[in-house]
Amino acid sequence: MSESSQAKPRSSPKRELLLDTAFRLFYAHGYHAVGIDTILAEAGVAKMTLYNHFKSKDELIVAALERRSSEISDDKLKALAKVSSEPLSQIEALFDWMDVWFRMPDFNGCAFLKAIAEYTDDDSPINQTVKKHKAASIASLIDLCQELDVPDPKNLAQQIFLLLEGSIIQAHTFGNADAAKLGKNAATTLIQAAKASPS
Amino acid sequence: MSESSQAKPRSSPKRELLLDTAFRLFYAHGYHAVGIDTILAEAGVAKMTLYNHFKSKDELIVAALERRSSEISDDKLKALAKVSSEPLSQIEALFDWMDVWFRMPDFNGCAFLKAIAEYTDDDSPINQTVKKHKAASIASLIDLCQELDVPDPKNLAQQIFLLLEGSIIQAHTFGNADAAKLGKNAATTLIQAAKASPS
DNA sequence: GCAAATATATACAGATCTGTCTATTTTGAA
DNA sequence: TTCAAAATAGACAGATCTGTATATATTTGC
């Protein structure tokens, strides 16, 4: 066994194709509802190739979610970089980012919330992957709120987080893409009120 | 065939037992994850009894959700009847109701949001049952906000709805029962701001 | 061009799923 | 008590699911 014979490449064309296809189908139809064979047929990949890259379906789901989490982070960062670095503008840009998302033709709610709905065991890797993603989302929101001149930035951030998540639910349940604007207006109201409150 | 040989009783002990057991298991573990046989074993009921009352698993899910929707409506009405009929108190009581819910040992998120996450087809009976339930929830919130002296009660109601749904997500994802209080505070802020705005 | 890694097709095991069928037993009301 | 409705047990069909085994083919680096 030479030194170059590593275990698995963490990135390969087939692996990427599988992750893309798996995420798309899981997102559109649900995790239990989509079987391995469906993914393989759609991707045009052999079953053993999948099981060579991933130990199990659950591991494929985790990998697909982690990939999606990175995509979202990168996409958000790019969107926030386009607007003023003032915290208020940054927070507003978060809602604008969601507005764009809600209007995408394949928008179908939040893949992470759907995953935690299907995998209820608190200790399962899928469940933990979801919590990690959402925790990171809150953390960056807290960072933004701490740049605001408000007495309790963490509290404000958590309130705004409710609006963000509520917007996703509203947009998904009723196909109401305007939920982002609704949340944005509410968030600015909360921020204004927090700024006006005594520190 | 005599006149008394009706089709199905819309209410019978076995039927109620099946609906209770089914909802509890679906809610705890997910809809696809729980099989018919598991429900039957838990309820101690024969398979043909289930299929005598319900045409299919999907129909059982719809019936369980509709039953749960009624339970929630009744429970909310009772809770709201206990506080002042002033709209502000009523809205606050909604968040207090959620606070109690979040602290129940078997709280596991919203059964309706979980259902729509698993059954993505817009036209499916399950999906429509969820939308009907959530639409009723918004409608009653709009009614409350219309009693408030604010320029755009419907807009305010929808913003508060984001907070309500966001609270459920937050409480479920992180086991944070304080999400209800968080939402309540944000809601009162929004209401105060709306009242202060020019009509 | 050679060798090792990667991917393929295909079959299959074993479990699980929904829903049906049948024959028997229990229940409840007249 | 009688008789029909309701529930039962259990087998079973047919589909689907995850994951494995095997043997062959293709790609890729050296």
Side-chain angles (χ1 to χ4, degrees), chain A residues 115-131:
Chain A
I116 210 170
E118 289 201 48
Y119 297 88
T120 57
D121 181 4
D122 256 10
D123 301 329
S124 87
I126 295 173
N127 195 298
Q128 289 183 327
T129 302
V130 171
K131 283 185 282 201

Side-chain angles (χ1 to χ4, degrees), chain A residues 145-193:
Chain A
C145 285
Q146 275 167 344
E147 295 180 42
L148 288 167
D149 186 29
V150 296
D152 193 345
K154 193 174 168 190
N155 184 66
L156 178 62
Q158 286 181 299
Q159 290 184 340
I160 293 172
F161 184 73
L162 300 187
L163 293 170
L164 286 168
E165 296 295 305
S167 295
I168 299 172
I169 297 299
Q170 166 84 342
H172 177 220
T173 306
F174 298 108
N176 176 18
D178 293 336
K181 188 136 281 179
L182 213 53
K184 182 182 180 179
N185 288 337
T188 57
T189 303
L190 291 180
I191 293 169
Q192 285 313 112

Side-chain angles (χ1 to χ4, degrees), chain B residues 27-124:
Chain B
Y27 181 53
H29 305 109
Y31 298 88
H32 285 90
V34 172
I36 291 290
D37 290 339
T38 306
I39 297 168
L40 295 174
E42 180 86 4
V45 164
K47 187 175 273 193
M48 280 314 295
T49 303
L50 187 152
Y51 280 103
N52 191 41
H53 283 292
F54 308 98
K55 260 187 7 200
S56 64
K57 182 184 180 182
D58 277 19
E59 204 173 81
L60 171 65
I61 294 174
V62 167
L65 286 176
E66 284 177 342
R67 189 185 152 87
R68 173 69 174 156
S69 182
S70 297
E71 267 180 28
I72 291 178
S73 295
D74 294 353
D75 203 52
K76 268 191 197 165
L77 282 180
K78 280 206 310 199
L80 296 200
K82 284 182 187 160
V83 303
S84 155
S85 64
E86 303 231 351
L88 179 59
S89 302
Q90 295 275 300
I91 291 169
E92 286 178 337
L94 275 182
F95 286 93
D96 293 338
W97 179 86
M98 301 235 300
D99 195 278
V100 173
W101 180 32
F102 294 167
R103 295 188 145 79
M104 288 180 180
D106 59 349
F107 171 72
N108 199 27
C110 172
F112 297 87
L113 295 182
K114 288 172 155 192
I116 210 171
E118 289 201 48
Y119 298 88
T120 56
D121 180 4
D122 255 10
D123 300 329
S124 88

